[in-house]
Amino acid sequence: MEHIHKKIKSLRLEKEMTLKDLSEATELSVSFLSQIERGSSSLAITSLKKIADAFQINISYFFHEIENYNYAVHKEDQKPFKLEGSNVTHVRLAGKFPDRKMEPMMVTLPPNKTFIEKFSHPVEELYYIVKGVVIFKVEEKEYILNEGDSIHFPSVKVHQWKNPTNEDAVLLCVLTPVIF
């Protein structure tokens, strides 16, 4: 029973649910679910059944060790997405397993656009230029990066990037922590 709380949190994150979403689906309070996920509260079988039903899984899932994580992400499963108000295209490259620490993505910057990072997060960013040219500005220093170059910096630094060419630029990006 000691790993049930980790499985609940992992499933919730995998299904991109908030604690509030899970609370509404189970009729269990957000604070109780938070305590369960932290392992600081015990869980009755009736509550576990509600959680299993909300995830549309059999309750027995919680009593078996997970051995087959989805580590590979095949090309046909890579779905592009854009953040609201941005023309930058992102494609998740991460496998799915509990306690993932990195967010690897393929990023496509459209031509002749400057992008100012609106999201600050507390750890690191790494970019590798797969195709094109990208100008990064971190704090007050500018870096011109060509295909095969990379940049790695603390994410709390004020930063922006620009594709100065007439073609898409493609970057491999690895962020910490997992934010998307």
Side-chain angles (χ1 to χ4, degrees), residues 131-179:
K131 174 186 161 196
V133 176
V134 180
I135 300 171
F136 276 86
K137 187 174 181 184
V138 180
E139 299 279 301
E140 296 301 316
K141 187 164 183 177
E142 196 169 87
Y143 302 88
I144 300 172
L145 303 176
N146 296 293
E147 191 172 310
D149 294 340
S150 62
I151 188 167
H152 181 204
F153 55 88
S155 303
V156 294
K157 300 282 186 189
V158 176
H159 55 283
Q160 65 184 33
W161 44 1
K162 179 180 182 177
N163 175 358
T165 71
N166 292 323
E167 296 183 17
D168 285 348
V170 179
L171 301 86
L172 174 63
C173 165
V174 180
L175 306 173
T176 62
V178 174
I179 59 173

Side-chain angles (χ1 to χ4, degrees), residues 36-98:
I36 294 302
E37 285 190 358
R38 289 192 319 269
S40 62
S41 181
S42 60
L43 181 62
I45 197 74
T46 54
S47 297
L48 186 58
K49 174 70 170 124
K50 288 179 181 182
I51 292 169
D53 290 346
F55 291 139
Q56 299 177 339
I57 61 169
N58 191 300
I59 195 170
S60 66
Y61 166 84
F62 295 105
F63 302 102
H64 298 289
E65 284 300 314
I66 302 172
E67 294 180 16
N68 295 320
Y69 299 118
N70 186 13
Y71 298 124
V73 182
H74 297 282
K75 187 175 182 175
E76 62 270 12
D77 296 327
Q78 297 173 4
K79 307 289 186 232
F81 68 96
K82 293 182 180 181
L83 299 176
E84 186 176 334
S86 174
N87 291 336
V88 177
T89 302
H90 298 78
V91 176
R92 283 189 180 95
L93 303 174
K96 290 190 178 186
F97 54 91

Side-chain angles (χ1 to χ4, degrees), residues 21-49:
D21 295 334
L22 186 56
S23 172
E24 290 171 358
T26 60
E27 299 181 351
L28 301 170
S29 75
V30 170
S31 61
F32 176 69
L33 290 169
S34 177
Q35 290 173 357
I36 294 302
E37 285 190 358
R38 289 192 319 269
S40 62
S41 181
S42 60
L43 181 62
I45 197 74
T46 54
S47 297
L48 186 58
K49 174 70 170 124

